[in-house]
Amino acid sequence: MANKSWQADLKDRDVTDPQLYLNRRRFIKGSAASVAALTLGASPTWASPSPTGKPLQHDKNAAFAPDEALTPYQDVSDYCNFYELGTGKGDPAKHAHWLRSDPWSVTIEGEVAKPGTLSLEALLKPHPLEERIYRLRCVEAWSMVVPWLGFPLADLLKRFEPTSRAKYVAFETLYDPTTLKGQKHDIIHWPYAEGLRMDEAMNPLSLMAVGLYGHALPNQNGAPLRLVVPWKYGFKSIKSIVTIRLTEEQPPTAWNRHAPQEYGFYANVNPDVDHPRWSQAKERRIGEFFKRKTLPFNGYGDYVAGLYQGMDLSVHF
Amino acid sequence: MSWKRARLLLMALSLVPLLWYGQQLLDNRLGANPIEAVIRASGRWSLYLLLATLAVTPLLRLFHLKPLGSFRRPLGVACFGYGLLHLLLYVGVDQFFDGAAIWKDILKRPFITMGVATLLLMLPLALTSNNAMVRQLGGRRWKRLHRLIYLIAPMALLHLYWLTKADYRFAYQMTVLVALLLGYRVLHLARGHFVGNQGGKSVT
């Protein structure tokens, strides 16, 4: 379970191929900016917007501040998978207004001593927010570096006193086809569902996020409450959570249900196990031209590899 | 406007998507992953132009516009052009000429296999889309060769299906259109319009 050796995240630079790191260059952005500056003068149309959400009080967690360039806020908030708001990458930002993220309540049920439905405010109140900079690796072979604001999932779960029968945690996204119009189409099984094994959920890396870049989450990024599990592919990081259910059995998950041969329950980032339709060996960091090598567990092996000892991760992918 | 000028205009128009995306790319308006955006756009436009090519025959028959036939080859060539660009972007920008990775992809990933096969099959059609080649091959052989398009179209659709993750709406729409365009020809055949065809008309 809890991994004693987890501490400062100082090994990233050693793990990342240094040459790749030094050679990084902002692809189109840099060149487009210089072309623009030369030919058209400064133009506001491609100035990167800053967060519009409510600023949130937080501390920075120095243990999770890797020396890597952050993905610009514009890209984090414009390039999203959130099928409830549309299946194109740009759709969620365009349709963000479909989601009414305030007021919001969350139900905690199942194998807990103290189940209940809480308003978001009540849910968040006891938890001080910290900023953690995590790499996010999508199953589609792109990646980002995101400064999340949140608090450990373990702290939240402990409040509701899991029983000894709690082996898994299931999460569900809001289901409301009248506003979340993507849910009118039978694309995957709604509501979107995800799950973790209890020890994964209690791992210090597992974060409940309510913001990014110092501000409240934009709707397209899963406002007002989402999961972030940085050693797993992005689809595990379920957005806009309304239900947290502790269970004895492994819960069904949306993508695993949709295509079990392509999306496993564990979905640990693993360069050695290809997605059936593409290689997972490399990834394109958003904003970079060349692909970089994907790291096992997205570079978080020190924290989580122990969770999977004795498991064949090509079977339990 | 004469048909000849209309045809020139059409050829110019087929370059519009290329120029538009080129401009968007320079302006950094293609979102966070411009590489993915241009790869998808080139594939989509190749498919649109495939549909346009297949639409020529039904349109010219339904509206008795024989000169429309001269639109077919430029549309087909444009379809190939965007398809080739699609492949080159995959090879050059997505895989960065990593021969081993590309070969592995072709062998292992059905949608890549199908995409590459589709484009290879389009190559002889593109290469023979000039008057000299029509003359050299002779009309009947040329037409027989170009019936490969009836194989190419479903292959392109398979490529689209196999790369789709979950939302099949676009693939369904394209399939319906292809089915209509090919279905028209089947109906025509069934009604005996081409029985005893002596090289004059054909099912192209």
Side-chain angles (χ1 to χ4, degrees):
Chain A
M1 239 178 71
N3 196 332
K4 277 233 158 141
S5 68
W6 78 278
Q7 31 180 276
D9 192 16
L10 291 173
K11 293 194 175 126
D12 294 329
R13 256 153 61 114
D14 307 331
V15 179
T16 307
D17 180 356
Q19 206 51 44
L20 211 64
Y21 179 79
L22 291 171
N23 282 346
R24 84 171 55 235
R25 56 197 179 111
R26 309 292 298 169
F27 168 48
I28 312 286
K29 307 211 176 313
S31 57
S34 44
V35 168
L38 285 171
T39 58
L40 301 162
S43 165
T45 45
W46 44 71
S48 189
S50 30
T52 49
K54 192 176 66 171
L56 299 174
Q57 262 219 320
H58 63 275
D59 294 318
K60 291 192 192 298
N61 185 333
F64 300 105
D67 191 5
E68 295 185 60
L70 300 182
T71 303
Y73 174 79
Q74 181 178 20
D75 291 347
V76 175
S77 59
D78 267 10
Y79 192 77
C80 311
N81 278 321
F82 195 174
Y83 280 12
E84 287 83 342
L85 302 179
T87 52
K89 287 285 188 302
D91 290 345
K94 207 160 49 187
H95 300 146
H97 60 279
W98 289 358
L99 175 66
R100 290 196 211 109
S101 51
D102 181 33
W104 194 267
S105 58
V106 181
T107 300
I108 287 110
E109 57 187 33
E111 300 295 344
V112 284
K114 296 177 169 172
T117 298
L118 284 80
S119 70
L120 185 73
E121 294 70 29
L123 188 84
L124 299 183
K125 202 161 185 221
H127 302 287
L129 296 180
E130 54 182 277
E131 180 178 82
R132 293 188 184 188
I133 298 168
Y134 279 164
R135 291 175 291 274
L136 174 79
R137 169 61 157 83
C138 178
V139 72
E140 295 164 345
W142 51 267
S143 62
M144 291 180 172
V145 181
V146 184
W148 300 107
L149 298 183
F151 57 93
L153 171 61
D155 294 351
L156 181 73
L157 294 179
K158 282 176 202 155
R159 268 169 71 195
F160 299 89
E161 298 176 11
T163 72
S164 60
R165 283 203 298 243
K167 301 282 192 307
Y168 293 90
V169 192
F171 302 89
E172 275 173 20
T173 298
L174 175 68
Y175 179 67
D176 181 11
T178 58
T179 57
L180 296 178
K181 296 176 195 172
Q183 291 173 336
K184 286 178 182 160
H185 303 286
D186 199 15
I187 298 163
I188 52 173
H189 188 90
W190 310 115
Y192 195 95
E194 260 308 334
L196 296 172
R197 217 169 53 191
M198 199 62 185
D199 57 348
E200 297 178 316
M202 300 306 279
N203 185 277
L205 279 184
S206 297
L207 192 74
M208 293 306 277
V210 295
L212 56 84
Y213 270 99
H215 297 251
L217 282 171
N219 283 357
Q220 61 268 32
N221 291 97
L225 180 72
R226 69 172 287 171
L227 177 68
V228 181
V229 274
W231 73 97
K232 294 175 179 285
Y233 292 120
F235 67 88
K236 290 297 282 187
S237 294
I238 182 171
K239 299 181 169 92
S240 303
I241 296 166
V242 291
T243 306
I244 301 174
R245 185 182 306 118
L246 281 77
T247 64
E248 208 171 350
E249 305 292 328
Q250 181 178 306
T253 65
W255 280 101
N256 182 241
R257 253 175 135 164
H258 175 76
Q261 70 284 5
E262 297 186 21
Y263 308 97
F265 174 80
Y266 286 95
N268 291 315
V269 174
N270 190 343
D272 298 329
V273 176
D274 286 349
H275 184 281
R277 292 188 287 154
W278 56 83
S279 164
Q280 294 294 23
K282 291 180 187 175
E283 67 201 48
R284 173 167 285 119
R285 179 69 53 84
I286 292 299
E288 290 180 1
F289 183 70
F290 293 105
K291 289 186 175 177
R292 50 169 70 207
K293 280 186 174 156
T294 286
L295 304 173
F297 300 110
N298 202 19
Y300 298 99
D302 287 352
Y303 306 106
V304 297
L307 296 171
Y308 309 102
Q309 247 160 22
M311 283 175 73
D312 182 349
L313 292 181
S314 63
V315 176
H316 301 281
F317 59 89
Chain B
M1 187 163 57
S2 72
W3 283 101
K4 199 166 178 187
R5 285 181 66 184
R7 183 163 167 259
L8 281 174
L9 181 67
L10 178 82
M11 290 161 96
L13 278 177
S14 66
L15 290 174
V16 167
L18 182 69
L19 298 174
W20 193 82
Y21 276 95
Q23 184 62 40
Q24 296 281 305
L25 192 64
L26 285 177
D27 280 0
N28 190 24
R29 286 164 188 265
L30 289 178
N33 198 346
I35 293 169
E36 181 196 35
V38 291
I39 289 177
R40 287 193 176 192
S42 55
R44 228 172 32 238
W45 275 97
S46 182
L47 187 56
Y48 294 152
L49 286 157
L50 178 68
L51 291 173
T53 312
L54 286 173
V56 169
T57 297
L59 287 178
L60 76 84
R61 290 202 193 290
L62 287 170
F63 301 105
H64 307 289
L65 294 170
K66 218 170 177 187
L68 209 57
S70 69
F71 285 20
R72 204 159 31 205
R73 268 194 269 158
L75 284 169
V77 170
C79 165
F80 175 76
Y82 283 95
L84 185 64
L85 181 63
H86 186 55
L87 178 76
L88 291 178
L89 287 170
Y90 160 74
V91 168
V93 187
D94 190 53
Q95 297 290 352
F96 217 78
F97 302 102
D98 183 343
I102 294 167
W103 186 238
K104 201 179 140 206
D105 254 8
I106 292 174
L107 293 181
K108 205 171 166 183
R109 329 244 173 250
F111 84 97
I112 302 268
T113 318
M114 190 51 71
V116 171
T118 308
L119 205 72
L120 281 179
L121 222 51
M122 286 165 80
L123 187 64
L125 276 59
L127 291 177
T128 56
S129 282
N130 54 72
N131 289 333
M133 285 307 293
V134 179
R135 272 195 301 274
Q136 204 178 323
L137 283 169
R140 292 185 67 178
R141 277 170 66 201
W142 189 91
K143 275 176 176 160
R144 216 181 301 154
L145 175 67
H146 281 250
R147 280 178 199 148
L148 274 176
I149 198 71
Y150 301 130
L151 188 59
I152 289 166
M155 283 169 70
L157 288 177
L158 264 186
H159 169 66
L160 174 61
Y161 273 91
W162 287 346
L163 69 85
T164 301
K165 256 178 81 177
D167 186 355
Y168 285 92
R169 282 174 291 173
F170 179 67
Y172 292 152
Q173 288 160 6
M174 294 298 112
T175 306
V176 167
L177 292 174
V178 169
L180 284 173
L181 293 170
L182 297 186
Y184 170 85
R185 291 164 166 86
V186 175
L187 269 181
H188 224 73
L189 261 180
R191 284 160 62 190
H193 282 254
F194 300 106
V195 174
N197 172 14
Q198 294 299 313
K201 292 179 176 178
S202 83
V203 205
T204 43

